[in-house]
Amino acid sequence: MKRGVWNFTVLTHIKQTTQPRATMLIKTPDFSLADTLTAGQTFCWNLGENENTWNGWIQGNYCCLKQKSPTQLIMSGSGLNSDDIRAYLGLNDDPMAILQPYFEGNQVLKEAVTKTRQLRCVQEPWWECTANFICSSLKQIPHIRQLNTTLRERFGDTQNEGISYTYPHWSRIARIDEEDLRRCRLGYRAKFLLGTARMIENGQFDPNRISNMETEEASNYLQRLPGVGEKIAHCILLYAWRRFDAFPIDVWIARAMHTLYFKQKKMPPHSKIHLKSRRLFGAHRGLAQLHLFHWTRVQGNRHKAS
């Protein structure tokens, strides 16, 4: 997945004048909705009528989230309760407390988590998360969001009197011709998405097995799917299964780790970055990755760890 300029264009199929059916106020910890929804974890959210309002989907339910303050969130929609919102947005987590044991001797991590403490790790639906990251190869984040929307509009079911669309189930994708997927601007990714959907539909891949696997075993199992390599497998495990010991390495986190934690001039291989991440961040290295990546992107930080 390539980093790109954030594009908060409201997509045309979302009618801002439509009022969802229910509203609730949700108390949050110190939290940033915008940081969480734009950190490359989820691709089904679009900026609403102002910079604090986002339209998207949780558990297949279309809703609107509005940040009233760092400790208050308003949800408008139906079919969801406050526990659903909290679970999806990771509001029950305290990243400072979780990562604090790794701060000793690691001032870089301490600074990164302190400055990005409002960021949370989401929990995406596993199928949508898998499909999104299969579609993410060599794509910038705004492009992945557009692909998510296009697949919804063309192959999803309508909600809210036709103003929003659910993400198409794998069984629906499995019945589509590859050329129809290519018309969604998936390019070569269409073959991978179709192949993955058909493997799941035909019983050649069972996502229920992952819950009983260790993270590396689960990663290897996910890599049986077309278009899923180690990085994408770890993304899926982190953002769908919330395996905090998963550590996706793309070009950006590789550069960040190289700059912050390696003295050598040459970029280390991914195997060495994995070993270093285990030593530095232990069982929560995926959560550390999320905060380090966001920190280096937002701060433009180029400091080396001591």
Side-chain angles (χ1 to χ4, degrees):
M1 179 175 62
K2 295 174 67 178
R3 184 178 69 177
V5 177
W6 298 112
N7 178 358
F8 293 141
T9 303
V10 178
L11 300 175
T12 56
H13 76 279
I14 298 175
K15 298 181 182 178
Q16 300 300 320
T17 57
T18 300
Q19 296 297 318
R21 292 188 290 273
T23 301
M24 71 175 71
L25 179 65
I26 300 169
K27 293 183 179 180
T28 72
D30 191 17
F31 171 70
S32 170
L33 181 63
D35 285 353
T36 299
L37 298 184
T38 62
Q41 312 175 73
T42 176
F43 305 97
C44 65
W45 294 91
N46 297 282
L47 194 66
E49 56 200 21
N50 62 60
E51 63 181 10
N52 297 319
T53 302
W54 295 82
N55 301 291
W57 289 262
I58 297 176
Q59 296 181 4
N61 296 281
Y62 176 71
C63 63
C64 173
L65 297 178
K66 182 176 181 180
Q67 182 105 52
K68 189 174 181 181
S69 73
T71 58
Q72 288 186 324
L73 191 68
I74 297 173
M75 191 282 289
S76 301
S78 61
L80 297 166
N81 58 43
S82 62
D83 288 341
D84 296 328
I85 307 300
R86 297 184 68 83
Y88 175 79
L89 292 174
L91 295 177
N92 298 319
D93 299 334
D94 182 347
M96 287 290 290
I98 294 171
L99 293 171
Q100 190 276 334
Y102 308 102
F103 289 168
E104 185 176 355
N106 195 337
Q107 186 61 33
V108 168
L109 179 65
K110 182 177 181 180
E111 182 178 350
V113 179
T114 299
K115 290 186 176 179
T116 63
R117 64 187 180 277
Q118 294 182 323
L119 174 66
R120 295 296 186 277
C121 181
V122 303
Q123 185 165 23
E124 282 284 273
W126 74 267
W127 161 242
E128 183 175 346
C129 184
T130 299
N132 278 334
F133 281 104
I134 287 174
C135 295
S136 73
S137 177
L138 300 178
K139 288 285 187 180
Q140 296 178 353
I141 289 173
H143 298 155
I144 306 168
R145 276 210 306 273
Q146 185 60 62
L147 289 174
N148 182 287
T149 297
T150 301
L151 288 169
R152 288 177 183 275
E153 290 181 334
R154 296 193 182 182
F155 306 116
D157 296 325
T158 59
Q159 282 190 352
N160 303 309
E161 299 178 353
I163 68 159
S164 60
Y165 303 82
T166 62
Y167 197 81
H169 194 268
W170 70 79
S171 60
R172 175 74 175 99
I173 297 293
R175 299 193 302 270
I176 298 171
D177 291 334
E178 183 179 330
E179 286 305 311
D180 288 336
L181 285 175
R182 285 182 175 271
R183 293 187 186 99
C184 297
R185 298 186 178 181
L186 286 177
Y188 66 87
R189 304 161 197 84
K191 181 178 180 180
F192 297 148
L193 183 60
L194 182 60
T196 292
R198 288 178 175 173
M199 279 187 67
I200 299 168
E201 179 69 5
N202 295 334
Q204 296 171 287
F205 179 89
D206 180 6
N208 294 317
R209 293 182 57 185
I210 289 177
S211 297
N212 298 319
M213 293 178 175
E214 297 294 329
T215 296
E216 285 308 309
E217 182 186 5
S219 172
N220 292 332
Y221 186 58
L222 281 164
Q223 289 178 59
R224 297 181 184 182
L225 296 172
V228 176
E230 183 182 60
K231 185 208 81 170
I232 289 178
H234 278 246
C235 285
I236 296 166
L237 290 168
L238 181 58
Y239 303 132
W241 272 275
R242 284 172 55 84
R243 295 287 188 93
F244 284 170
D245 59 336
F247 193 82
I249 300 177
D250 64 4
V251 63
W252 303 107
I253 197 63
R255 288 175 182 172
M257 289 291 291
H258 180 213
T259 300
L260 295 169
Y261 291 110
F262 286 85
K263 294 181 180 180
Q264 64 195 66
K265 292 184 178 181
K266 186 178 179 180
M267 176 71 71
H270 285 189
S271 59
K272 285 192 174 182
I273 295 175
H274 274 297
L275 287 173
K276 178 78 80 170
S277 72
R278 291 189 184 98
R279 182 175 66 82
L280 292 170
F281 316 127
H284 299 94
R285 63 194 188 119
L287 192 61
Q289 185 258 32
L290 178 65
H291 287 270
L292 282 169
F293 175 79
H294 192 65
W295 178 62
T296 54
R297 180 180 64 82
V298 172
Q299 303 295 324
N301 198 290
R302 294 295 182 268
H303 298 303
K304 286 280 254 186
S306 58

